[in-house]
Every structure is written in structure tokens, then in C-alpha cells.
Amino acid sequence: MRIESEKQLRDYRKKLVDADRKLTKKIMVCHGPGCLASGSEQISEEFTKQLAKKRIAGVTVEAVKKTGCHSFCEKSPLVAIEPAQILYTKVKVKDVAEIIEKSVAGDEVIERLVYHDPHSNEAIATYPDVPFYKYQTRLALRNLGKINACDIDDYIRVGGYDGAAKALLHMTPENVIDEITKSNLRGRGGGGFPAGRKWASCRAVESDVRYVVCNGDEGDPGAFMDRAIMEGDPHTVLEGMVVAAFAVGANDGYIYVREEYPLAVINLQKAIEQAEGLGLLGDNILGTGFSLRIHINRGAGAFVCGESSALMLSVAGNVGEPRAKYVRSVVKGLWDKPTVLNNVETYANVPLIITNGAEWFTSIGAPKNAGTKAFSLVGKVRHTGLIEVPMGTTLRRIVFDIGGGLLKDRPFKGVQTGGPSGGCLAEKHLDLSVDFDTLTTHGSMMGSGGMIVMDDRTCMVDVAKYFLSFLVSESCGKCIPCREGLYQLHKLAIAISEGRGTEQDIEKMERLSEMVVLGSLCGLGKSGPNPFLSTISNFRDEYLAHIRDHRCPAGVCRELITYEINPEKCDGCMACISACAVHAITGRKTKPHVINQELCTKCGACVAACTRDAIAVF
Amino acid sequence: MKHDLAKVPEIIGRYPQQPSSLIMVLQDIQKEFSFLPCEALEQTAKSLGVPLSKVFSVSTFYNAFSLNKKGDTVVRVCIGTACHIRGARQIQEQMETALKIKAGETTADGKFTLEVVGCVGACAMAPVVMTNERYHPQCKVNTVKKLVAKR
């Protein structure tokens, strides 16, 4: 069947909504990356198996939905029961029978499985009341956990393809660009460039062929929201691209998905086939005569290919070395044709803006930073997972209210945002508004949205060294300031972390950073020194402790620390002895153990193994 | 070493015979053989009309491609930021000790290849290790032992 008019789309949806009403209960099993890793596939299978055998009024096997990421990954695997909005955490296969009996056939809540507040230990049964969800506004992530990613009917039922229908049937391309410009939608890939202006300049270039490209490369270590959207709500990306292609006049679209996300490729491919089948993609979309073919390109594992000019070269089958951008890609992009390149999250916002209007969108967020931003909140925070908040939300709210504070209630040290191009913010920044402009003013950036929380056991010199080592291996090597400059910066950072650094080294690094920023061609090099620059400006004391006192205050840098067992706390359980690979720990059962400092390689395995917190780091 | 290259023409034939298909063809060859055999690269160059030097340049630029044969189980230790600050380095070292190889190497019996990767995009489960396509969340030292014990 093909949908060829607005009325047909409306009728089709009505049919789906009516059918859905017959389901009195729905079991939403999270199939996001976190839950899949902890066995959610077996759980959904078990639900299907048991429901097939049991007869419960109004509940068939169709009630089991394999949804995208519920986002509260810390508590995975997650199962939600609709419409009661009950959230079950850390579900096991053996819990399935009880859930069916009590919460699906009946209306009982199983208290053991719901979220418990870590401070008051109070049980919170429904997810809108869980603090992790309470302070969020989910636009780009709106459908994650609510629909089956591989079912276009589910997407249409919740209003999917409405934005595309409105744009194609009731608006001109100019109207669409106007609306996006007025909404002040800025690129969610991190650059923050206004999408409307990008689309307008692409349309203005005279050409017979234009392209729309979706950047699904997401190479930033510590970020995974684009992955969750592509895997859990692929149609929203397609719909956003249809609107963009219509606005700029493109008939071919490319989605560049990174190699590490095979499930995203599968789900996007399915989504393309389903949308083409219904006439919502492909030739003659919605009977309007407008056509768009979307192709998927798999990346091949190069961080630099997230950069626009490198990405386009890679789509065309070349080595992804960025080029100088004196001519923008909206003029000369893919195969030298005008190209609009946006990131996954940007496209996910587009259908909503078209449906609800620019004014609605600008009413959310902060001045000049309309809308929301999705983040992956990870690191030493209690509630790791994906979140989406209005721009302008403070870091404090994100880390302490949504994130539930730090693991083991350790002291907060900082938050790293923006990946290798971003920087580390300190405690004094906790009340800053999180938006494109504020973060940039304070030496960090939004980036693609990784937010890595750090406690007093994270060493900032080590973090800088870590990012530099990442960038050294990911630099494409085309221009010397990036290739050689980052290498030297890394070498100096190693020297400091090993206690061989001098204060002159810090000056050298600062000067070198300036040159790398000035002399590099693309964003990788231009922002490469940021992790160093932001840690040196916010945590200089920590660098000086390494240099002057040969001490790593966080107890991380191996050359400067020693492990010692506190005989008062050690109960002689021998866990550390069996964990130690180099046999550096000796002792008898029930007697305090001792570490032989000469043999110890400071790998930290004993600390991880000790259940009594008896091993101290100096 | 000889490889069954009979499949190569079929793989190349899946895509339009033009230079822009290069990466996709290489991806499929890599998937089939778990590395890029030299002879397959020569055939690819000829069929797509790309100089062999460019095929090599693309094959060595991207991390996904390998010119050396990989082990039956590819162990990938994620060293993304979230994993790093939650102790990925220890996991990597434990792996290296357990398998008696360094990252990037393959065991002599051809059973394991150990790799470190920038980020597998499963940051909420840090630290993460992958064995082939399977994720192992919140890895601890004991997890390493278990994963490797299967050899």
C-alpha cells in the first residue's frame, strides 16, 4: 500500500491508533546498547514465549515491544509497563513470570524491581517520578523507549511523518527554510551553526544536483546518543532528511554510520525499506512528485571522518583527509556538488519544528540557544545514561538531580564535555547554563554531547594525556602542526605525569598549543589542545603537584604512587592476593596482607578486588 | 598462506564498478576473510579501476581494515573516556597478561586478537570489553579471567 495524500496518512494513523487501543497493557522491553548487553533480548523472548501460552484478556504477544534505549542505562535491563508507566529496573529472565502475573494480568507493582532512591531508599514505581526522568525534556529522544524501532506503524501512530507531510503538501521549500531559520535550530553535532542558514545557502547555489548527508559517525569517546536515535528511532532521522532534502532541492541522501554501530545500519536499512514501501520515501513521496533516495554508508573506523570535508571524501570512497574549507561544502561538497550536512540529532529535531512551528521551539531553551540538547551522562556519576534537557539547564541539575550525584558520594571534581575537542569544567562552573555559547566562553564546548563526570580519583594530567594520546593516533597526518604538535604535547604530558616534568614544560605546552590551534587545517587539530588548555587553566595545582612534589593527588599516575594495605582494615580474605598478577602481595588467611613494593606494578587490580577498602593509595 | 579467493569477484560484484564503491567492497572483503588478503586487493583495484596504491592507502588509513589475519575471537577493549576513567587501562593490562600478547597482536595459536578501540559507544556500561560482536558491560578483573578462560 502507498500513502498518497494527507487524508490517507490520517486514515492510516487512525486505524493504527484504534488497533492500539485494544491493547490494554504494553510491555516495553529496552533494546538499547546497554540493556542488550545485559540480556534484554532473552527477556523479551521470555515475555513473548510466556504470553503465547497464557490467556490474558486484552493482552496478546503483540503487547511485547522491543523499543529503543530507555536511557537509564545504569539500571539496565529495563522494562516499562504501559499505560501505568511502571518502570522495572535490573530485570532478570526469572522475573518475567512474576511481572506477567502481577503487573500485566493484574495491576500490582512489584516493589523489589522498581527504582529506589539511593538517599532515602524510597521505592518509586513510575518513571515520570524517577528523578532521572523528572527533570528532562525529551524532543530528539522523544520516541526512544516508546516505540518499536523496526516498525514504521509504531512511528506513524505517534505522529510520525506528519512533519514531512506538512512540509511537502502545505509549504514551499522557502517556507520550510524560513521556519527552520526562525526556530534558530543550531547544529547538534557540536558546531552550533544555524541549520536554516546552512540550508538557505545550499539552496542558493546554482546546480542541477544537490545532496543531503547525515553525519552518524559519532566518534567522540564518551558519547552515544546518535547511536541510540539511529537504533531506536530511525524514522525520525529519515523524516528530518526528507524535509531537508525538499527544502534544498536534493534527490539523494547519504547517512554515514560509524563502523562500531552495526545495529544502527540494520535498523536504518529496515526503516528505509518500510518508508519506501509506504511511499514516504523514494520516488514520488506522498504523491507530490518529490523524490528522495537515501543510501547508507558505513564508516571504517576513522575519528577524523566525523569532520565534514573528510566525511564527504570517505562517502566517495577515498581516504578521509580534510581539505581546507575556503569553499564551503554547501557550495562544493559531496562529488563537488552543493551539500547539506547535519548530524543525527539535528535531523531528529526537524520534524517537530515543522509540526509545531518555530515559535514553539524557541519557547524552549535559552536565548539564542533554542530547544534541548541530548547528552550521554557517564563516568563517575550514579545514574549513567542518556539525557535530554532544555538548553540553559545548569550543570548542577544535570549531575546532581538527574545524575543522582557521584558514585559512592565522592567529592565532585569536574565534568568533561565535548569529547577530545572540548574541555574540563570545574566545580566553580556547576551553576553555568549549559548551552553552546556559555560553554565556549568558559573554555569547553557542547561538542556532540558527551558529559563525563569526574571525582577526586580522576587525575586531570592523566585526562589531558589520555585525550592527547587519542588525538595523536587519530590525526590523519595531513598537516604538520596537528601531526607533530599533538605528538610533542603528548610527550610533554607523559613527562609530567611520570614526575619528569618542569614548570617550563607547561609554558612550552601552552605555546605549542597556540601554534597547533593556529596552524591546523581542520577541527581535529584546531581543537586538539583544548583538553590540555582547559585542564591547565582550571586545575593548574594538580599539574604543579606532579612537577614540584612528584605527587599525583588523585592517586592515578602510576610512577608517582604507592599502594599500601591498612592492617586495621584488612581482614585477610586473600582476594587481593588472587587478583595480583605479579604475586606482589603475600599473607595468610585472616591475617593482614602486605604488598612487596619492588614487585608491585601498580596496576590497581588489588584495589578493585578489595571489598573492605583496605588498600590506600599514596 | 593460501585463501579461498573464489568469493572475491562476487563481493566486488555487489556494488557498482566504480571508484566510489571502494570502501564498501573492502568492508565486505574484511568481513568475509576477517582481513584483506593481498590478492583480493589486486582484484578490487582492477575491477573498480582504482590504482593499487590507492587501494592500499585506503586499506591502511581506516582502523576497520587489517592486512594481517585476525584471531577467531577478536577481543576489543574500549578505552573511551568513560571507560578510561573507570579503569579500562587495568582491563587492558589484565588482558595482555592473560593472553600473553600486546594490544594489536594475535596469539600464536590464532585464537585471540587483542585490540584497543577509541569508543564502542556503550559508555554507560563502562568499562566495556567486546568479544567479536558481544558486549561485556562493567568489566572487572574477574571478567577478564572468565573471558579468556574459554580458550
Side-chain angles (χ1 to χ4, degrees), chain A residues 66-293:
Chain A
K66 297 177 184 178
T67 73
C69 184
H70 285 198
S71 310
F72 197 7
C73 309
E74 182 69 36
K75 299 286 175 190
S76 63
L78 297 159
V79 173
I81 309 290
E82 301 286 6
Q85 301 186 317
I86 301 169
L87 180 74
Y88 287 137
T89 61
K90 298 200 184 245
V91 178
K92 296 192 179 66
V93 173
K94 63 177 166 53
D95 298 323
V96 168
E98 192 182 349
I99 295 177
I100 292 182
E101 192 187 323
K102 292 191 175 155
S103 310
V104 179
D107 283 317
E108 207 180 316
V109 175
I110 306 166
E111 202 179 301
R112 168 173 61 86
L113 292 174
V114 302
Y115 171 83
H116 285 74
D117 186 285
H119 304 290
S120 63
N121 207 30
E122 177 200 354
I124 303 175
T126 55
Y127 58 80
D129 297 322
V130 173
F132 179 80
Y133 292 105
K134 199 154 86 182
Y135 302 106
Q136 295 195 43
T137 305
R138 292 164 80 94
L139 304 183
L141 310 179
R142 63 194 177 278
N143 291 329
L144 292 187
K146 311 261 183 239
I147 63 167
N148 179 347
C150 297
D151 187 356
I152 191 170
D153 287 353
D154 253 20
Y155 183 67
I156 292 179
R157 189 171 48 74
V158 295
Y161 288 102
D162 247 9
K166 185 172 170 189
L168 266 59
L169 295 164
H170 298 289
M171 295 165 89
T172 64
E174 288 77 12
N175 291 155
V176 174
I177 291 177
D178 224 33
E179 199 68 28
I180 296 293
T181 310
K182 268 195 269 168
S183 77
N184 198 14
L185 173 67
R186 297 171 66 175
R188 296 307 198 241
F193 190 81
R197 216 191 311 160
K198 195 185 261 183
W199 295 11
S201 25
C202 180
R203 188 172 175 82
V205 180
E206 211 158 295
S207 174
D208 50 343
V209 181
R210 290 187 186 79
Y211 296 109
V212 284
V213 179
C214 172
N215 184 351
D217 194 55
E218 196 173 45
D220 269 17
F224 62 107
M225 45 283 152
D226 290 350
R227 169 192 200 151
I229 297 175
M230 289 188 287
E231 289 181 0
D233 194 12
H235 284 286
T236 192
V237 183
L238 301 183
E239 190 182 350
M241 289 179 76
V242 168
V243 174
F246 172 72
V248 302
N251 298 111
D252 274 294
Y254 291 84
I255 308 180
Y256 190 84
V257 188
R258 75 186 282 229
E259 184 232 348
E260 283 85 353
Y261 298 171
L263 185 61
V265 174
I266 295 171
N267 288 3
L268 281 166
Q269 194 66 54
K270 271 188 208 156
I272 290 174
E273 281 159 24
Q274 290 170 355
E276 282 181 354
L278 283 178
L280 298 166
L281 192 67
D283 293 328
N284 191 16
I285 298 174
L286 284 160
T288 57
F290 172 72
S291 303
L292 175 69
R293 296 233 160 253

Side-chain angles (χ1 to χ4, degrees), chain A residues 227 299 318 379 466 558 603, chain B residues 27 54 62 79 86 90 135:
Chain A
R227 169 192 200 151
N318 300 305
Y466 162 77
R558 195 165 285 195
C603 70
Chain B
Q27 275 164 333
K54 191 188 160 188
Y62 293 99
I79 51 161
R86 279 197 181 185
Q90 283 173 28
Y135 291 88

Side-chain angles (χ1 to χ4, degrees), chain A residues 408 410 457 554-555 561-580 584-586 591-597 600-618, chain B residues 90 141:
Chain A
K408 297 180 185 162
R410 294 202 75 98
R457 286 278 168 227
I561 55 169
T562 41
Y563 288 109
E564 260 170 45
I565 295 175
N566 180 347
E568 277 165 26
K569 279 190 178 173
C570 176
D571 66 347
C573 73
M574 302 188 80
C576 57
I577 296 185
S578 65
C580 182
I585 309 178
T586 48
K591 295 275 187 302
H593 305 328
V594 183
I595 301 178
N596 179 338
Q597 298 299 340
C600 176
T601 58
K602 291 157 192 170
C603 70
C606 50
V607 182
C610 182
T611 50
R612 297 177 59 88
D613 207 13
I615 303 174
V617 192
F618 295 101
Chain B
Q90 283 173 28
V141 176

Side-chain angles (χ1 to χ4, degrees), chain B residues 74-95:
Chain B
V74 179
V75 179
R76 293 168 156 188
V77 180
C78 176
I79 51 161
T81 324
C83 292
H84 177 77
I85 70 164
R86 279 197 181 185
R89 189 173 63 174
Q90 283 173 28
I91 304 286
Q92 180 192 336
E93 279 172 11
Q94 298 282 339
M95 274 296 180

Side-chain angles (χ1 to χ4, degrees), chain A residues 288-501:
Chain A
T288 57
F290 172 72
S291 303
L292 175 69
R293 296 233 160 253
I294 293 184
H295 318 266
I296 297 175
N297 276 68
R298 282 172 294 155
F303 175 68
V304 72
C305 286
E307 198 276 343
S308 61
S309 62
L311 187 150
M312 291 182 206
L313 281 169
S314 183
V315 169
N318 300 305
V319 165
E321 287 177 342
R323 61 166 176 81
K325 283 193 273 186
Y326 40 83
V327 185
R328 315 285 318 180
S329 49
V330 284
V331 181
K332 248 181 166 190
L334 196 55
W335 287 295
D336 286 342
K337 299 290 180 193
T339 304
V340 156
L341 174 82
N342 284 122
N343 131 295
V344 171
E345 197 186 329
T346 317
Y347 283 124
N349 275 299
V350 167
L352 284 180
I353 295 171
I354 298 296
T355 316
N356 301 321
E359 221 164 273
W360 164 82
F361 194 70
T362 48
S363 73
I364 305 165
K368 291 189 185 160
N369 290 270
T372 56
K373 178 77 187 90
F375 293 100
S376 71
L377 185 63
V378 293
K380 304 273 185 79
V381 67
R382 191 172 266 127
H383 299 155
T384 56
L386 281 186
I387 62 159
E388 187 173 350
V389 288
M391 299 251 200
T393 305
T394 63
L395 267 179
R396 193 182 294 281
R397 163 134 290 179
I398 295 176
V399 174
F400 289 94
D401 295 340
I402 300 177
L406 275 86
L407 271 183
K408 297 180 185 162
D409 284 320
R410 294 202 75 98
F412 171 87
K413 186 185 258 178
V415 174
Q416 207 281 343
T417 67
S421 322
C424 292
L425 297 166
E427 200 175 354
K428 63 177 181 201
H429 297 127
L430 270 175
D431 290 306
L432 283 186
S433 133
V434 175
D435 59 58
F436 288 109
D437 305 324
T438 314
L439 288 189
T440 315
T441 337
H442 289 86
S444 184
M445 64 185 275
M446 192 82 98
S448 58
M451 206 171 247
I452 295 117
V453 180
M454 298 169 177
D455 65 3
D456 63 331
R457 286 278 168 227
T458 315
C459 169
M460 289 306 179
V461 178
D462 179 69
V463 167
K465 186 175 87 175
Y466 162 77
F467 279 114
L468 286 166
S469 121
F470 178 83
L471 291 166
V472 166
S473 66
E474 292 296 344
S475 168
C476 81
K478 185 173 175 176
C479 53
I480 298 163
C482 173
R483 186 180 68 219
E484 298 298 328
L486 291 173
Y487 178 76
Q488 294 301 335
L489 278 173
H490 183 221
K491 245 172 81 174
L492 289 165
I494 293 175
I496 295 176
S497 79
E498 291 180 353
R500 297 183 283 110

